[in-house]
Structure formats: C-alpha cells, structure tokens
Amino acid sequence: MARYRLRFVLQEFDLPRGATLIGRSLECHLTIDDPLVSRLHARITVGDEGAQIEDLGSRNGVRVNGTPIRGLASLRTGDRVRIGTQDLLFTCMEDTAPAHARTTGKLRLCVTCRCPYPREMVACPGCGATEQTDDETPTGTGSDGQSWSVQLLVEALERALRLGRATDAEGLLRRAAAQVDELVAAGTKVDGDAVMALATQATKTALACNDPGWATWAIDILGRSRRIPPPLVVERFAEVAARHPRPMRRAVTELLVRLGPIASAASPEEIKALATLKDLRESDEDVTGSFPTS
C-alpha cells in the first residue's frame, strides 16, 4: 500500500486516507501561521485513486509546480505545492516500514525574517526573534524535538552563509552549538546526521569568519559524539589548518584519541578520513613554521 507525505522545511507529515485540511486555523490538520494563508486554505484527499488537492476558495490560491490549480488537481510524487509563501513537497512511497512522520502539525512564519518554524519553538531559528507561545501549545522538550530544532538551525545557517551574512551565521551557530552541547553533556542521543551537518556548517563559518574556534568546536563535538567526519569535512579542516595550524593540530590530535576505540569498525570511507586526519596532524607538526600562526 502506498504512503503519502508532505515535506515542509525538515519536517514530514503523513497524509492518511481521507481529507487533510491545511490553513491558518488551529482546527486544520496542518496549521501554517502565515498571513497569506487563509483559515481554511486547501484540502488534500487520499483515496484509492491516489491523492488530490483542492483550493477551498483561498484568497491567494494554491499552486502545484508553479501553476495555479482550478478545482481538484491530482498530486504525483515530487510535486511542489505552494500555499501562501510556503512550499511543500509531496511524496509517495511504498508502505514497507512503520510511519514516523506526524499526521498533524502547527507552524509559525517569523514576521521578521519570514522563516517557517514549529510553534513549539520559543525563538525563530532564522533570526532569533521571540514571541509568546500559546498556553495550550506544549513546549517541545524531547530529544526528537530538539534534534529537529537543530536541523532547522542548520538550514537557516546554511542559508545565511550562502547569502554572505557571516555575522548572522555566527549568531545561529551559537544557538545551535549551545543546544547540541547541552544534549551531549546530558548524555542524550543526538541525531548523527544533524551533528554532522552542524559540524560541516561550523567549519564553513570558521572559514567565512576566519575564526578557528568554530572549526575546533566542530572537531570537539564530533569527538564527544564519536562521529568520524567524512573526507569532504576533513578537507575543510585542512583549509582552516592552513590558516590556523596550532589550534587545529591540538583539536585533531584530541579527535584521533577519542575516535581510537571505534576506528577498527570504520567503513572504507571513514578509514580514508582517519588517514587524512593523521596526515593533517603530522604535516602540521612538520611544517608549522610555513603557516601563519593564530
């Protein structure tokens, strides 16, 4: 049996058989707090023939792959649905595993930077703007919610770096790093992909801001979470080390010590990354004088 989902930012929502209402109203299955979204904006209906979307007389309409719809429109996997200022990706897959996505959700649109984020978060991950949460809305404090929060911050951080907003990137990175540090210190399992994505963006920030502190933080969090960085991330470490060899050499040395117990179970790609890290440490020791010191 096929399973249908909507992907919004980094969150996925299952579309059960029957109707799923999308709009600004809290009575909708998927609530989007966007002024350009009507209270009852659209309805997606899943049946034996697949999934169809319908505009419920919204003020700003519904677009599928950039084209305004009239009446009912069938949805195919990969279709992009635009509601208000938000894009949702429709996917269809075979139901071979238990569902992990939500069937309902409530999202806010930041009035400052227009970044969508879950209502459970107190502050916008894009710009840090805060607003009072509704009394009836529970605050997300579980590890899954916090991992999702980190993923949203990573996405906003990547966008800031792409736009050349290094100062904004540092602010986002501070918030994301504080969340991950807190989770790791408490012994809470953090999603490995989120940690790796954050470490990657931290190293990019180090290069953009010429600050080795962010790269050494990335190395430290990888070591504490026992994650072997992929070769591409190690290459970025080498770029930072070319500018700031001393702090990077210390951080890489500590990382290799921490990863020692899991090195024997490393994959071929991870073995390559470990070898490059060792080369980086040793080459820095040999030619430190040729690099500018930090």
Side-chain angles (χ1 to χ4, degrees):
M1 181 182 296
R3 241 171 54 209
Y4 302 97
R5 287 181 173 181
L6 281 180
R7 182 177 175 85
F8 186 87
V9 192
L10 293 177
Q11 180 72 353
E12 289 187 343
F13 300 95
D14 272 325
L15 296 170
R17 290 182 66 85
T20 296
L21 291 175
I22 304 172
R24 202 173 70 250
S25 171
L26 294 178
E27 297 177 359
C28 292
H29 301 94
L30 175 54
T31 300
I32 304 177
D33 194 1
D34 178 338
L36 296 184
V37 174
S38 300
R39 289 182 57 78
L40 296 177
H41 198 109
R43 175 171 50 225
I44 294 179
T45 304
V46 174
D48 293 336
E49 302 302 318
Q52 294 180 310
I53 188 168
E54 178 184 8
D55 184 356
L56 298 178
S58 66
R59 183 175 55 187
N60 295 296
V62 176
R63 292 174 178 266
V64 176
N65 299 323
T67 303
I69 66 170
R70 299 288 184 268
L72 287 171
S74 296
L75 291 173
R76 295 188 296 263
T77 190
D79 282 348
R80 293 191 174 276
V81 178
R82 189 167 186 85
I83 294 178
T85 62
Q86 311 308 313
D87 285 314
L88 302 94
L89 178 66
F90 175 81
T91 60
C92 173
M93 64 192 72
E94 291 301 316
D95 190 5
T96 57
H100 296 291
R102 301 180 181 184
T103 55
T104 61
K106 297 179 175 62
L107 301 148
R108 281 196 175 94
L109 183 72
C110 177
V111 296
T112 301
C113 72
R114 314 301 292 174
C115 176
Y117 66 100
R119 293 174 65 90
E120 290 86 352
M121 292 178 64
V122 176
C124 168
C127 66
T130 61
E131 62 179 296
Q132 184 66 42
T133 56
D134 299 320
D135 291 339
E136 69 274 14
T137 302
T139 301
T141 56
S143 61
D144 289 343
Q146 291 189 354
S147 291
W148 182 29
S149 173
V150 171
Q151 289 176 324
L152 288 172
L153 285 167
V154 167
E155 185 172 273
L157 173 58
E158 183 176 14
R159 183 165 58 249
L161 289 171
R162 189 168 59 247
L163 295 174
R165 294 158 49 186
T167 301
D168 292 341
E170 282 199 290
L172 289 165
L173 187 51
R174 287 190 190 95
R175 290 197 291 277
Q179 287 192 31
V180 172
D181 283 337
E182 181 180 350
L183 290 172
V184 173
T188 303
K189 184 178 180 180
V190 187
D191 179 72
D193 291 339
V195 171
M196 194 63 70
L198 183 56
T200 301
Q201 298 305 321
T203 308
K204 290 181 180 179
T205 303
L207 290 166
C209 301
N210 196 31
D211 181 359
W214 288 121
T216 57
W217 176 85
I219 292 173
D220 177 68
I221 202 66
L222 289 172
R224 285 193 287 150
S225 58
R226 298 296 190 268
R227 301 285 299 184
I228 300 175
L232 182 60
V233 175
V234 176
E235 289 177 13
R236 295 193 182 278
F237 289 160
E239 291 181 55
V240 180
R243 303 181 190 178
H244 310 279
R246 289 182 180 177
M248 289 297 290
R249 183 173 64 247
R250 289 193 295 268
V252 169
T253 299
E254 180 62 27
L255 176 62
L256 288 169
V257 171
R258 286 173 165 171
L259 296 180
I262 65 172
S264 60
S267 67
E269 183 182 58
E270 290 173 336
I271 291 173
K272 179 181 177 181
L274 289 170
T276 305
L277 284 171
K278 292 176 182 177
D279 291 341
L280 174 61
R281 177 192 61 188
E282 293 167 1
S283 63
D284 280 349
E285 289 176 346
D286 293 339
V287 295
T288 297
S290 67
F291 292 130
T293 58
S294 58

